[in-house]
Amino acid sequence: YGNLEDIVMSKSGWKQGKYDLKNPSKYKGTLPVIYRSSWEHRVFYFLDNNPAIIEWASESIIIPYKSQVDNSMHRYYIDVNFIANDRQGNQKRYLIEIKPYEQTIPPKTPTKRTPKAVQRYNQAVLTFQKNQDKWLYARAWAKNNGYIFDIWTEKTLGLS
């Protein structure tokens, strides 16, 4: 899973570091390959070592989107894009976002109305809306460019 000296903890507590490519000819993004969570590291390892994956890259596709949170245009860096052969030998192109499942569903209203709980809820609402805006534009971009857009969570990755 990479060199220990290349792994750091981010301010958010996620493991981050440089991914050590085993099959560098498959990687079509910029170097070094940086993972921003242990989940991304797991996905990079899968893509790098899976023979069905023809090529892959991290944060190489950028999609402009308009956020309803601030009514401004932003740039969405897709976590991963790849080309893979399916079981019938057909090539498929994917855009993948890696997110905690909790960020893919509307946040629940807190039962306790403490200032901290309300602040966490309000932040979760903003994050959810921003993600929904990104994914709306990503789905349209994917459809127009021959890709399949998907969101992989800890459930997809078999971590829950």
Side-chain angles (χ1 to χ4, degrees), residues 4-62:
L4 288 177
E5 61 270 12
D6 290 336
I7 299 172
V8 298
M9 293 297 281
S10 71
K11 290 179 184 174
S12 66
W14 294 97
K15 288 184 182 177
Q16 298 183 337
K18 295 179 193 171
Y19 178 78
D20 184 26
L21 291 165
K22 304 295 181 237
N23 297 289
S25 63
K26 288 173 45 169
Y27 189 74
K28 304 302 179 192
T30 57
L31 296 173
V33 184
I34 304 296
Y35 61 91
R36 302 183 194 291
S37 71
S38 57
W39 297 357
E40 281 191 6
H41 188 275
R42 182 180 290 249
V43 170
F44 292 1
Y45 182 85
F46 167 79
L47 296 170
D48 191 22
N49 293 287
N50 187 320
I53 305 300
I54 298 164
E55 65 181 50
W56 68 282
S58 171
E59 296 186 350
S60 68
I61 293 179
I62 303 165

Side-chain angles (χ1 to χ4, degrees), residues 85-139:
N85 285 322
D86 67 13
R87 290 193 169 106
Q88 291 74 38
N90 301 311
Q91 288 187 0
K92 303 266 176 146
R93 296 160 33 132
Y94 295 88
L95 301 179
I96 303 298
E97 174 68 9
I98 303 164
K99 275 284 184 255
Y101 177 75
E102 188 174 278
Q103 290 183 15
T104 68
I105 58 174
K108 294 179 183 167
T109 306
T111 52
K112 295 182 180 180
R113 295 284 183 171
T114 65
K116 194 168 192 167
V118 170
Q119 181 182 14
R120 270 196 309 268
Y121 172 74
N122 288 340
Q123 185 58 49
V125 168
L126 293 175
T127 298
F128 179 75
Q129 183 58 59
K130 186 169 108 177
N131 286 338
Q132 293 302 303
D133 295 337
K134 288 180 184 179
W135 301 340
L136 176 70
Y137 280 79
R139 284 183 182 94

Side-chain angles (χ1 to χ4, degrees), residues 65-84:
Y65 74 98
K66 188 171 186 177
S67 171
Q68 293 182 49
V69 172
D70 62 7
N71 206 30
S72 296
M73 292 301 293
H74 297 272
R75 293 163 42 109
Y76 175 25
Y77 293 80
I78 299 292
D79 287 335
V80 175
N81 60 284
F82 64 92
I83 301 172

